[in-house]
Amino acid sequence: MSLQKEENTLCFFINGKKVTENHADPETMLLSFLREKLRLTGTKYGCGGGGCGACTVMVSRFQPATKTITHYSANACLLPLCQLHGAAVTTVEGIGSSKTRIHPVQERIAKAHGSQCGFCTPGMVMSMYTLLRNKLQPSMDDITQALAGNLCRCTGYRPIVDGCRTFCQETNCCQANGVGNCCLSGEVNTEEPEQPQLFDKNDFLPLDPTQELIFPPELILMAETASPQTLTFQGERMTWMSPASLEELVQMKTSNPKAPLVMGNTNIGPDIKFKGVLHPLIISPTQVKELFEVTQTPQGVWVGAGCSLSEVQSLLEKLVIQFSEEKTELFKALIHQLRNLGSQQIRNVASLGGNIMSAYPNSDLNPVLAAGSCKVSVISNAGRREVPLNQDFFVSFGKTILKPEEIAVAVFIPFSRKGEFVRAFRQAPRKESSFATVTTGMRVFFSEGSRVVQDVSIYYGGMGPTTVSAAKTCAALINRPWDDENLSRAYDILLDELALPPSAPGGKVDFRRSLTLSFLFKFNLEVLQKLREMNVIIDELPNKMQIHPLPKEIQPSLQEFQHVSNNQSNLDPVGRPIMHRSAISHATGEAVYCDDIPKTDGELFLAPVTSSRAHAKIVGLDVSEALQLPGVVDVITAEDIPGKKVRPFGGYTEELLAATEVSCIGQLLCAVVADTRAHAKRGASAVKISYEDLPEPVFTVEEAIEKLSFFEPRRVLEKGNVTEAFKSVDRVYEGEIRLGGQEHFYMETQSVLVVPVSEEKEFNIYISTQAPSFCQEAVAETLNIPSNRVTCHVRRIGGAFGGKVTKTAILASITAVAALKTSQAVRCILDRGDDMLISGARHPVLGKYKVGFMNDGRILAADVQYYANAGNTVDESVLVAEKIVLHMDNAYNIPNLRGRAAACRTNLPSNTAFRGFGVPQSIMVVENMLNDVAMVLGRPADQIREINMYKGQSVTHYKFEFCPENLLRCWDECKLKSDYSARCKTVDQFNQQNRWKKRGISIIPIKYGIAFTDSFLNQAAALVHIYKDGSVLVTHGGTEMGQGIHTKMQQVASRELHIPPSKIYISDTSTNTVPNTCPSAASFGTDANGMAVKNACQILYQRLEPIRQKNPKGSWESWVNAAFFEKMSLSATGFYRGPDLYIDWDKMEGEPYAYFTFGACCSEVELDCLTGDYRTVRTDIVVDIGRSVNPSVDIGQIEGAFMQGLGLYTLEELKFSPSGLLYTRGPSQYKIPAVCDVPLQFNVYLLPDTYNPHAIYSSKGIGEPVLFLGSSVFFAIKDAVAAARSESGLVGPFSLDSPATPERACLACASPFTQKIPASKPGSFKPWALNI
């Protein structure tokens, strides 16, 4: 009996402490165990699918065979607890904390300003920490590889990379420290005063490897002495068995052929989590030695199927050094694929065998292994056999030729022969950490001295349900010379052979077909180059035809800002680059977010149930099965709401829970309340809803226009006489552009915890929202209680970007109903997939324009019509439409201008506010129009922009006067700093010398209005207490979501009270300290709340004046103490009315903004015309933000907004099915920018010597304006595409919709290969995804 008990105890270490678990549930992942069982909440939940890196931890194991300890990073969300027997896990709490000592990695990321909202920071820290445990002095390449699997939505990555760069070998070079002029370049100008730096690396703690946690000796002993034994863990619904030997594994698999083998859980894990797959038994063969053995033979190498992809990669890298070049062709091709397959965290756990056996259609490795004639050794009860990896191996989607009971033990990778060439290519939506669109492995063999093909093998992934062989194409090449004639025939055969139906799953059909040809062409160029090197052919390949990989070396970048004036007191922190006040606790994992708040006794969890139809009547709602499930307590429906069942907005209402009819997939219907997260989710999937479909749902703006489905009012602004002006111009051009939507992808999903206070219906709400008062009001009205019984607390938000206002209030209201009904605390934390489905996104927009201009480039008339896809409820869509027309002039004085905007009502989830609030869509259409004008006239776009810019004292199209001087200064400064005119020439030169790669460059201005047009939203209040010990507590109405508002408020209070910031504390934002607050939005948080804090501090400082006069030499503490004894109030509220803004839509005039923030941005890209892949080579941004309150925070906002804009215009695509279901519900389908997308040189300059009388300390709002400047990358891509098109004889304007993904860029290049693809007739098939 004791043996049985012994056997089932899981034993491992976390942060040096032993953990024994007697009843480990196979369904429990390390992440939930850390957070819920051990209360180690530094490791964050970001996506649950290994795609964001927020839950990165380090796993260490002792290898008895080599007597070494291996350390690797892994995603805790995919790491089954049962797999950790004998391992040591290190989390962010284990490497350092503010209570003990902080680790240099934590310190450097914080002090280099690499943390804004802080939610991704622990994951970043752990990825970097693991790298340093394995390599004390990493290279820049090591760092970018280590961080490739960690997403950040706030910073733009540059400061994170800069903080990590300080660990590099080349650290002592000034280049690595972010100093612009390198001592090596001999350009140091001694005259100039020294530029202020954002951080000083001399302040950093040195990295001391002797201070790290040691590997637990007990685990070494356990690994060396214990004989392997079968481990069995029994859970609520699943059993986990880990056999001790290969024989036992074979027996287990024979008895349970359907049980999956799990090594890294990167395939089975997401299936269980996202598809609801249930496996009663899981077999984990991690103890089976044979699966990890590597054997070399004269023909090649056998690699154990259990080896992780990282191990395979390092093994192959060693073999490449060890053997001659001709023997390692296949190895090099595999290394090429492995470098970009998944992320470091995924490659560290995913196994070679798992990758082959999961038989994904777009597998990176399978086409290469198949083309390279690899084979798999399999074992079963019937014995061993070897199975070739060829076209017969992959039978159908996710299925191989192996029998269910067979186990892959090892994979044979052969050496290549002399005259044999192997290449691998892949194209993915994002360069790193992304599933491929199309992959290929190609091998060709020539006998010595000949160009006649002896053998050729070509396989593709992503071209059907399985890895496919291009057998007919190969047959056409074999025994023939490798020359243009035979290859051009091969392209045509390949096109016929790999035909994809136009409605194929995954879409992008023309692009995928085009890639198969492009890859074969790339292979052709490489083979010709090799044949030349071997002197088989003599004719030179013109340089212009060669293809080199895109550049990827990150260069040091500049951040220029002004010193504070010499006469500013050293104690005054305003204008200095002060670290975010919570950065250290972000980096140590001590910062508390909503879901980190400890559970209260009896707390319940709420999971929403959403509609699966886009437009239907609800016929039945059956909750009986859900209520039978273990742990389920109740189901909340619309009938349970005691107060208002709808939320009013803009003259329309939105139901909290739909009762009779649904108008989109993802609409909230009811919610299941249970004792745990897992039980609530299972309960939610057991709720049965029956529908009766309603006719003709509306999805696209075209359908809405046709059916006149709009949210009123529609908005119009006009100046001059547009119709008349069109008659007197030289030319008229009409065009249009579509902009896709954008998911907020804040790292922390929607989170709320409602705690009932036991008397008088009082509720405390801990919530991640930008608008605490809005939530308070919503909850009070829903529960039918006064607002004074509801207190909303917001300590910090893990990113928001506009997406945590309207839907958050609805989720809070539903959760509060559950808390009222059950009389228990209720927590609701949305899964990433539900969050993306429910919470809405940025509005997709269709912009149509007609523009009249003269031959000299002056635009005299423009008529622009905007259609925004609002979704199923009004939300803030009409306000977005208003801001669209208010900003449509951007930087240009067009004398006759008309703008019309309509919010279209459709059956998609309702779209909402998102950083920029319509402006990024509005100006994009206008800038595209200017680009078209330039192309029609055949002139550089920057000249057309310059000719039409506002100059001198100006008036906007809504009759608002302003001075554009700083706009023009930003433009000129940007041209100067970026060396624009010289680089334009270099780009042209590059394009003449390269046929298949093109560069493009673009410079774009922005004029962005700051503040809310609805004047009442511009007010703010603050409450400041001074305690007897001299410490100060500040609260204000702004919420901290990474934009550094609390840090800036601390700086304001410090200046006004003349005390150091260390005496000032800001705890949280709550409705019981500052009532009736306005949302933190519209880039106005610092402007409004700063003035309120300033007001309160000035009142208090004035109050203390008589005391200071009595004792002028006294200390702050002595004055405060004296004031108390003289019975003076040491508390004050501050208030700021805000500017009185308005817009009169009937008169088409007004003063909707307090002032403008100006900027300009120049970006250059390099584009691979054959695949559409691109790199942003350099970006220079100049912004006028007045006098910055905190340059490090403001530069962080500029870089973060730019990268979010780069995502919007070039990368991020929301895809909906023809029935209106969002396909892209997580980071594996939806790609936000990662480290690989940062411009290789990323320079930010704050315009010097400017001031702004309209805001605190002459600063300016900066949160939103720069997002639009990400479009400079779009227009640079468009410029590169235009250069590619001219090679095919195409000139003049062309259509390129946003985002300019590799697919769109490649097809727009119109290369000879894309032109071969026959077009599918629209209407003749049902596309896989809607064109929203």
Side-chain angles (χ1 to χ4, degrees):
M1 191 63 216
S2 66
L3 186 88
Q4 183 61 30
K5 185 168 184 290
E6 194 66 56
E7 195 171 65
N8 292 328
T9 300
L10 182 66
C11 169
F12 62 109
F13 277 67
I14 292 183
N15 299 335
K17 292 190 177 132
K18 186 174 181 178
V19 177
T20 49
E21 192 62 14
N22 289 328
H23 303 290
D25 188 328
E27 287 187 78
T28 302
M29 295 298 132
L30 173 63
L31 179 63
S32 54
F33 184 79
L34 289 172
R35 292 182 57 81
E36 288 162 24
K37 188 90 189 260
L38 302 184
R39 301 280 333 123
L40 292 171
T41 54
T43 310
K44 302 291 181 228
Y45 166 84
C47 71
C52 74
C55 63
T56 305
V57 296
M58 183 175 87
V59 181
S60 311
R61 287 185 181 275
F62 179 74
Q63 309 297 345
T66 52
K67 301 256 188 288
T68 52
I69 294 159
T70 54
H71 306 290
Y72 59 90
S73 56
N75 295 114
C77 68
L78 286 181
L79 210 54
L81 197 60
C82 298
Q83 204 142 40
L84 291 170
H85 192 66
V89 174
T90 308
T91 70
V92 69
E93 293 92 345
I95 71 169
S97 81
S98 58
K99 299 183 188 72
T100 50
R101 58 163 208 128
I102 57 171
H103 191 277
V105 175
Q106 294 168 326
E107 179 199 41
R108 294 187 197 188
I109 282 184
K111 288 187 177 167
H113 314 291
S115 176
Q116 287 182 23
C117 83
F119 201 80
C120 73
T121 312
M124 294 281 178
V125 165
M126 291 313 296
S127 285
M128 189 61 204
Y129 174 79
T130 310
L131 172 61
L132 292 172
R133 286 301 298 265
N134 287 315
K135 198 168 186 179
L136 262 181
Q137 284 202 317
S139 66
M140 268 312 289
D141 190 43
D142 294 325
I143 289 173
T144 49
Q145 281 278 320
L147 296 177
N150 290 76
L151 298 179
C152 167
R153 197 52 154 164
C154 298
T155 63
Y157 301 100
R158 194 274 316 156
I160 298 170
V161 172
D162 274 4
C164 296
R165 191 197 286 268
T166 58
F167 293 106
C168 276
Q169 297 133 329
E170 62 264 25
T171 293
N172 293 335
C173 170
C174 38
Q175 279 202 328
N177 306 328
V179 178
N181 284 331
C182 176
C183 53
L184 302 175
S185 61
E187 285 172 21
V188 178
N189 183 344
T190 45
E191 297 303 300
E192 272 185 37
E194 191 198 344
Q195 266 294 337
Q197 297 296 309
L198 286 179
F199 64 89
D200 180 0
K201 68 178 234 312
N202 298 324
D203 295 348
F204 293 155
L205 298 165
L207 180 64
D208 180 357
T210 63
Q211 297 301 300
E212 307 297 3
L213 276 175
I214 62 159
F215 187 80
E218 185 179 335
L219 291 181
I220 297 181
L221 200 67
M222 192 166 117
E224 287 187 320
T225 56
S227 51
Q229 50 173 319
T230 311
L231 299 170
T232 309
F233 303 108
Q234 193 93 35
E236 197 178 323
R237 311 187 300 165
M238 259 186 214
T239 303
W240 178 284
M241 294 181 85
S242 178
S245 67
L246 187 58
E247 298 74 45
E248 200 179 343
L249 171 61
V250 172
Q251 283 165 7
M252 268 185 203
K253 192 69 175 139
T254 309
S255 335
N256 308 283
K258 282 195 175 144
L261 300 188
V262 168
M263 294 299 275
N265 201 40
T266 55
N267 181 20
I268 301 293
D271 277 358
I272 294 173
K273 190 163 283 175
F274 303 127
K275 297 180 186 166
V277 178
L278 182 63
H279 298 287
L281 172 67
I282 279 181
I283 302 171
S284 170
T286 47
Q287 301 187 80
V288 179
K289 291 196 305 292
E290 289 84 345
L291 294 182
F292 302 91
E293 285 167 0
V294 174
T295 325
Q296 272 185 41
T297 72
Q299 289 76 42
V301 59
W302 281 101
V303 182
C307 292
S308 75
L309 298 178
S310 296
E311 289 164 341
V312 175
Q313 187 182 334
S314 62
L315 166 73
L316 294 174
E317 280 165 355
K318 286 187 192 118
L319 293 173
V320 165
I321 298 165
Q322 206 178 326
F323 291 96
S324 65
E325 201 172 328
E326 60 191 44
K327 294 189 85 165
T328 57
E329 282 280 316
L330 178 55
F331 297 173
K332 281 187 289 206
L334 285 165
I335 291 167
H336 177 266
Q337 294 298 70
L338 283 163
R339 275 185 76 86
N340 293 316
L341 194 162
S343 62
Q344 192 71 56
Q345 292 95 315
I346 295 290
R347 292 194 295 272
N348 287 339
V349 298
S351 64
L352 176 61
N355 195 283
I356 294 169
M357 296 305 298
S358 53
Y360 272 131
N362 57 345
S363 161
D364 283 288
L365 296 185
N366 286 339
V368 191
L369 294 167
S373 311
C374 296
K375 53 189 177 182
V376 183
S377 166
V378 300
I379 191 169
S380 67
N381 245 358
R384 279 184 188 256
R385 65 180 183 128
E386 284 177 13
V387 184
L389 263 168
N390 56 19
Q391 68 267 33
D392 304 327
F393 187 83
F394 304 102
V395 183
S396 58
F397 179 86
K399 218 171 140 33
T400 67
I401 197 167
L402 300 195
K403 303 184 184 91
E405 68 278 9
E406 287 186 310
I407 297 154
V409 179
V411 181
F412 180 70
I413 307 173
F415 289 126
S416 48
R417 304 165 280 179
K418 193 176 173 139
E420 189 164 37
F421 308 117
V422 187
R423 290 291 179 273
F425 302 101
R426 79 191 295 267
Q427 171 58 39
R430 187 175 60 208
K431 288 175 277 293
E432 287 175 352
S433 204
S434 169
F435 286 122
T437 307
V438 175
T439 62
T440 182
M442 301 185 178
R443 177 180 61 86
V444 65
F445 176 55
F446 301 98
S447 54
E448 205 161 338
S450 156
R451 69 189 292 172
V452 175
V453 176
Q454 294 292 312
D455 185 21
V456 61
S457 181
I458 300 174
Y459 281 82
Y460 284 99
M463 288 304 294
T466 64
T467 298
V468 291
S469 156
K472 289 179 186 155
T473 311
C474 293
L477 287 168
I478 215 153
N479 299 329
R480 289 196 172 92
W482 188 274
D483 57 22
D484 284 352
E485 187 193 337
N486 283 312
L487 275 146
S488 63
R489 213 174 61 245
Y491 297 129
D492 295 332
I493 296 170
L494 182 59
L495 196 60
D496 287 343
E497 184 171 18
L498 296 188
L500 269 184
S503 53
K508 305 185 191 182
V509 169
D510 292 353
F511 179 47
R512 284 153 70 185
R513 297 189 68 191
S514 161
L515 283 173
T516 58
L517 302 176
S518 294
F519 286 158
L520 181 54
F521 177 67
K522 282 190 163 196
F523 184 53
N524 170 30
L525 292 183
E526 298 222 10
V527 169
L528 290 174
Q529 189 55 33
K530 279 289 190 187
L531 291 174
R532 252 177 224 99
E533 285 168 21
M534 296 163 64
N535 297 321
V536 174
I537 49 178
I538 27 265
D539 54 314
E540 260 312 302
L541 180 70
N543 256 342
K544 188 174 173 169
M545 298 298 281
Q546 290 184 9
I547 304 181
H548 302 288
L550 295 174
K552 56 180 257 189
E553 296 302 314
I554 294 185
Q555 307 298 320
S557 34
L558 296 169
Q559 298 82 40
E560 275 186 19
F561 57 96
Q562 250 179 315
H563 268 299
V564 294
S565 66
N566 292 335
N567 53 13
Q568 182 170 322
S569 145
N570 282 338
L571 286 177
D572 181 353
V574 171
R576 302 182 197 275
I578 287 174
M579 175 175 77
H580 191 294
R581 63 181 300 281
S582 303
I584 295 288
S585 41
H586 292 163
T588 57
E590 292 164 290
V592 176
Y593 296 82
C594 186
D595 194 30
D596 300 339
I597 298 169
K599 259 195 169 146
T600 54
D601 193 31
E603 183 181 294
L604 301 171
F605 194 89
L606 178 139
V609 176
T610 56
S611 159
S612 59
R613 301 290 172 88
H615 190 213
K617 281 191 174 140
I618 301 172
V619 188
L621 179 70
D622 177 8
V623 300
S624 56
E625 196 181 315
L627 290 169
Q628 301 294 308
L629 289 174
V632 173
V633 174
D634 207 340
V635 178
I636 307 299
T637 64
E639 288 167 15
D640 294 312
I641 300 171
K644 276 192 183 172
K645 295 183 190 318
V646 295
R647 296 300 313 139
F649 211 100
Y652 293 85
T653 58
E654 179 172 355
E655 285 180 294
L656 296 177
L657 294 168
T660 57
E661 194 176 300
V662 292
S663 51
C664 77
I665 295 181
Q667 191 170 350
L668 296 164
L669 301 179
C670 61
V672 173
V673 187
D675 58 349
T676 67
R677 197 172 302 223
H679 286 153
K681 290 220 36 130
R682 275 174 223 160
S685 13
V687 173
K688 299 276 182 287
I689 295 131
S690 34
Y691 304 93
E692 185 186 302
D693 281 331
L694 292 166
E696 298 188 17
V698 175
F699 295 126
T700 64
V701 292
E702 284 86 348
E703 291 166 349
I705 296 164
E706 187 191 323
K707 298 197 170 127
L708 297 176
S709 175
F710 300 112
F711 288 112
E712 300 295 343
R714 287 175 264 173
R715 294 301 189 193
V716 184
L717 280 180
E718 182 169 2
K719 80 164 177 183
N721 188 330
V722 177
T723 316
E724 280 303 306
F726 274 124
K727 295 174 185 169
S728 59
V729 294
D730 292 345
R731 308 198 184 195
V732 174
Y733 179 78
E734 292 190 41
E736 65 173 59
I737 181 173
R738 276 177 174 279
L739 287 99
Q742 183 180 27
E743 161 59 33
H744 301 87
F745 213 97
Y746 26 68
M747 295 305 295
E748 173 201 36
T749 58
Q750 299 279 354
S751 307
V752 56
L753 169 63
V754 179
V755 183
V757 179
S758 50
E759 53 181 297
E760 298 197 40
K761 283 198 179 167
E762 192 187 329
F763 292 85
N764 276 325
I765 299 179
Y766 302 89
I767 185 167
S768 180
T769 181
Q770 296 166 253
S773 291
F774 186 72
C775 280
Q776 173 193 28
E777 194 178 306
V779 169
E781 289 182 357
T782 305
L783 300 184
N784 201 14
I785 57 176
S787 285
N788 62 7
R789 308 293 164 83
V790 179
T791 309
C792 279
H793 299 268
V794 180
R795 190 173 189 98
R796 60 172 58 80
I797 306 171
F801 314 113
K804 289 183 175 173
V805 182
T806 50
K807 270 292 185 288
T808 316
I810 287 175
L811 285 164
S813 303
I814 296 166
T815 311
V817 171
L820 177 73
K821 191 177 177 192
T822 60
S823 305
Q824 294 291 355
V826 179
R827 190 180 298 242
C828 172
I829 313 291
L830 289 189
D831 275 2
R832 175 65 63 190
D834 286 342
D835 188 299
M836 290 182 77
L837 181 69
I838 293 166
S839 68
R842 185 189 293 285
H843 292 72
V845 165
L846 171 64
K848 294 172 177 267
Y849 46 85
K850 178 178 176 185
V851 57
F853 50 100
M854 307 306 281
N855 289 330
D856 64 1
R858 283 174 305 135
I859 297 175
L860 298 186
D863 189 356
V864 189
Q865 172 77 63
Y866 296 94
Y867 297 100
N869 194 325
N872 69 327
T873 65
V874 72
D875 202 282
E876 303 191 56
S877 302
V878 172
L879 302 178
V880 168
E882 290 178 2
K883 202 156 178 176
I884 284 177
V885 286
L886 285 169
H887 274 80
M888 63 174 288
D889 59 328
N890 192 18
Y892 310 111
N893 188 4
I894 299 173
N896 304 283
L897 180 66
R898 182 193 300 137
R900 288 170 289 182
C904 301
R905 185 177 201 153
T906 62
N907 295 111
L908 292 178
S910 184
N911 290 313
T912 187
F914 192 147
R915 195 181 201 167
F917 207 75
V919 179
Q921 298 100 307
S922 168
I923 309 184
M924 182 67 174
V925 174
V926 171
E927 290 294 348
N928 199 60
M929 177 179 86
L930 267 91
N931 238 49
D932 284 351
V933 170
M935 290 189 96
V936 169
L937 294 171
R939 289 182 59 182
D942 66 296
Q943 286 181 18
I944 304 297
R945 292 192 163 94
E946 235 159 79
I947 291 167
N948 290 292
M949 265 183 206
Y950 283 112
K951 294 172 189 76
Q953 198 59 30
S954 300
V955 182
T956 66
H957 56 304
Y958 43 84
K959 305 185 182 59
F960 177 56
E961 274 192 44
F962 78 104
C963 170
E965 186 200 344
N966 282 354
L967 169 66
L968 301 167
R969 278 186 64 201
C970 285
W971 178 259
D972 294 339
E973 188 83 353
C974 186
K975 285 191 119 170
L976 185 73
K977 295 281 191 192
S978 64
D979 199 10
Y980 183 74
S981 48
R983 279 173 56 211
C984 284
K985 291 193 183 85
T986 320
V987 164
D988 286 343
Q989 209 179 337
F990 180 94
N991 290 344
Q992 278 158 23
Q993 291 165 358
N994 290 277
R995 170 64 182 96
W996 304 113
K997 278 205 320 186
K998 296 292 175 192
R999 284 202 169 192
I1001 190 168
S1002 154
I1003 180 167
I1004 301 284
I1006 174 98
K1007 165 178 78 53
Y1008 192 102
I1010 301 289
F1012 290 97
T1013 307
D1014 288 328
S1015 198
F1016 69 90
L1017 291 171
N1018 294 316
Q1019 60 183 307
L1023 175 64
V1024 178
H1025 297 321
I1026 304 174
Y1027 294 98
K1028 288 188 289 181
D1029 62 356
S1031 64
V1032 175
L1033 182 66
V1034 176
T1035 49
H1036 58 91
T1039 55
E1040 174 58 69
M1041 47 193 159
Q1043 85 285 37
I1045 193 168
H1046 286 351
T1047 310
K1048 287 181 172 178
M1049 294 308 104
Q1050 200 173 15
Q1051 288 173 279
V1052 171
S1054 169
R1055 168 178 276 189
E1056 296 303 334
L1057 296 173
H1058 302 85
I1059 57 173
S1062 55
K1063 292 192 192 300
I1064 299 160
Y1065 185 64
I1066 299 179
S1067 116
D1068 70 357
T1069 305
S1070 58
T1071 53
N1072 61 353
T1073 49
V1074 179
N1076 313 321
T1077 57
C1078 300
S1080 298
S1083 308
F1084 204 63
T1086 298
D1087 288 25
N1089 293 288
M1091 292 300 259
V1093 169
K1094 179 182 177 185
N1095 175 238
C1097 291
Q1098 284 178 339
I1099 292 168
L1100 288 166
Y1101 197 71
Q1102 284 306 113
R1103 230 177 251 170
L1104 293 171
E1105 182 59 28
I1107 304 237
R1108 273 197 305 279
Q1109 282 176 352
K1110 280 187 202 164
N1111 177 12
K1113 293 211 167 125
S1115 66
W1116 165 256
E1117 286 79 2
S1118 67
W1119 296 334
V1120 169
N1121 218 15
F1124 175 73
F1125 284 107
E1126 291 201 15
K1127 298 193 281 191
M1128 282 184 180
S1129 163
L1130 290 172
S1131 172
T1133 54
F1135 186 72
Y1136 174 63
R1137 287 191 76 240
D1140 292 320
L1141 306 177
Y1142 73 98
I1143 179 85
D1144 184 325
W1145 290 102
D1146 298 326
K1147 291 186 184 164
M1148 299 200 212
E1149 63 180 56
E1151 202 176 306
Y1153 302 112
Y1155 57 87
F1156 294 113
T1157 294
F1158 302 113
C1161 174
C1162 171
S1163 290
E1164 181 183 346
V1165 302
E1166 190 171 307
L1167 174 77
D1168 179 333
C1169 310
L1170 293 169
T1171 62
D1173 224 348
Y1174 76 93
R1175 271 279 175 185
T1176 310
V1177 181
R1178 176 172 167 183
T1179 291
D1180 295 89
I1181 305 178
V1182 179
V1183 201
D1184 161 30
I1185 58 166
R1187 291 188 189 155
S1188 171
V1189 175
N1190 184 331
S1192 61
V1193 166
D1194 289 342
I1195 287 171
Q1197 285 292 290
I1198 289 167
E1199 292 170 333
F1202 172 83
M1203 284 303 287
Q1204 212 165 37
L1206 177 140
L1208 167 66
Y1209 297 119
T1210 71
L1211 192 64
E1212 301 178 35
E1213 266 191 305
L1214 290 166
K1215 295 272 192 190
F1216 289 89
S1217 78
S1219 62
L1221 168 69
L1222 180 67
Y1223 282 134
T1224 43
R1225 297 195 300 280
S1228 61
Q1229 305 97 1
Y1230 184 81
K1231 296 298 169 195
I1232 69 167
V1235 173
C1236 59
D1237 298 294
V1238 180
L1240 298 179
Q1241 197 175 346
F1242 194 2
N1243 303 323
V1244 175
Y1245 310 91
L1246 302 187
L1247 192 71
D1249 307 317
T1250 81
Y1251 74 104
N1252 172 31
H1254 306 289
I1256 186 158
Y1257 304 147
S1258 205
S1259 65
K1260 284 190 173 187
I1262 190 55
E1264 296 170 294
V1266 179
L1267 187 135
F1268 169 68
L1269 295 180
S1271 69
S1272 61
V1273 178
F1274 174 94
F1275 288 111
I1277 291 173
K1278 197 166 182 180
D1279 188 41
V1281 169
R1285 290 170 68 85
S1286 67
E1287 296 265 9
S1288 300
L1290 301 166
V1291 287
F1294 61 94
S1295 148
L1296 179 66
D1297 287 336
S1298 169
T1301 54
E1303 173 192 11
R1304 288 205 175 108
C1306 172
L1307 296 177
C1309 281
S1311 77
F1313 302 107
T1314 55
Q1315 292 184 20
K1316 278 180 182 283
I1317 313 295
S1320 312
K1321 267 214 309 282
S1324 63
F1325 64 96
K1326 196 171 194 178
W1328 175 76
L1330 294 168
N1331 187 14
I1332 298 299

